[in-house]
Amino acid sequence: MSVRPLRVEGAYAFTPKVFPDSRGAFLSPYQEPAFTAALGHPLFPVAQTNHSVSARDVVRGVHYTLTPPGAAKYVYCARGSAIDIVVDVRVGSPTFGAWDSVLLDQTDHRAVYFPLGLGHAFISLEDDTVMSYMVSSSYVPEHELALTVLDPALGLPLPDRDRMVLSDRDSVAPTLAEAAEAGTLPVYEQCRQIEKAMYA
């Protein structure tokens, strides 16, 4: 498995080796030795797994979790293809406001690790795209927050506006600056302290 740090501090892309044969193929999207070698600890204790199915041009996000409790994620594409986007929304982070994107597909089978406190969005590139997540905390509706993907200050790599399919919630989500003013963004040092306790 190859590992690549992303432009957002603490986020990584993992690409497994694929073993094809006459029956199809086999691969492991998560491999603890490679993960531990890159981050110095194994994956977080998994509290929940999520599975989403999206049509072409669906854009989900930018989603993040109120911290505390916060949520770390490990995401891969089980079917189809998507542009997966990690956004640093942690106030005080050395890469605050920065983002990076990774193509998740059925050719390279990459996965993306999101440390606690980051924002997540993705763009579905084909119908019936399935995204699978391992998450460090259980879903609590009032803890789940969103920023608009249309925030010009972020400048995310979006498809044409007339083709994008957004949920009602994502359509009216605040900008990064508005969320910062409202005090709903995670704080970098607090995220780091929660993560230390998580991996202790």
Side-chain angles (χ1 to χ4, degrees), residues 101-136:
S101 64
V102 179
L103 175 63
L104 304 185
D105 61 16
Q106 300 306 284
T107 301
D108 296 308
H109 300 277
R110 294 182 189 91
V112 178
Y113 168 68
F114 292 72
L116 203 80
L118 294 186
H120 178 220
F122 72 83
I123 304 159
S124 177
L125 300 179
E126 54 189 285
D127 288 337
D128 297 321
T129 288
V130 175
M131 299 290 277
S132 293
Y133 312 63
M134 293 185 284
V135 189
S136 67

Side-chain angles (χ1 to χ4, degrees), residues 18-176:
V18 180
F19 298 92
D21 62 24
S22 60
R23 300 166 298 171
F26 179 85
L27 61 125
S28 296
Y30 172 69
Q31 298 174 36
E32 186 169 292
F35 189 94
T36 301
L39 279 87
H41 55 75
L43 190 67
F44 48 77
V46 176
Q48 184 169 310
T49 60
N50 297 334
H51 177 104
S52 69
V53 182
S54 300
R56 180 185 175 93
D57 294 324
V58 164
V59 179
R60 297 182 188 255
V62 177
H63 297 154
Y64 66 102
T65 303
L66 187 70
T67 306
K73 298 179 182 179
Y74 192 87
V75 181
Y76 65 96
C77 181
R79 183 175 67 205
S81 59
I83 301 295
D84 205 51
I85 304 171
V86 53
V87 183
D88 196 343
V89 300
R90 301 166 298 183
V91 175
S93 166
T95 55
F96 178 72
W99 60 268
D100 205 347
S101 64
V102 179
L103 175 63
L104 304 185
D105 61 16
Q106 300 306 284
T107 301
D108 296 308
H109 300 277
R110 294 182 189 91
V112 178
Y113 168 68
F114 292 72
L116 203 80
L118 294 186
H120 178 220
F122 72 83
I123 304 159
S124 177
L125 300 179
E126 54 189 285
D127 288 337
D128 297 321
T129 288
V130 175
M131 299 290 277
S132 293
Y133 312 63
M134 293 185 284
V135 189
S136 67
S137 62
S138 299
Y139 175 74
V140 178
E142 56 267 30
H143 292 170
E144 298 306 313
L145 304 174
L147 303 174
T148 177
V149 295
L150 302 173
D151 185 347
L154 292 177
L156 301 181
L158 301 173
D160 293 339
R161 181 66 179 92
D162 58 355
R163 292 185 6 238
M164 290 172 53
V165 181
L166 296 171
S167 70
D168 291 342
R169 180 183 76 148
D170 289 347
S171 296
V172 298
T175 64
L176 181 66

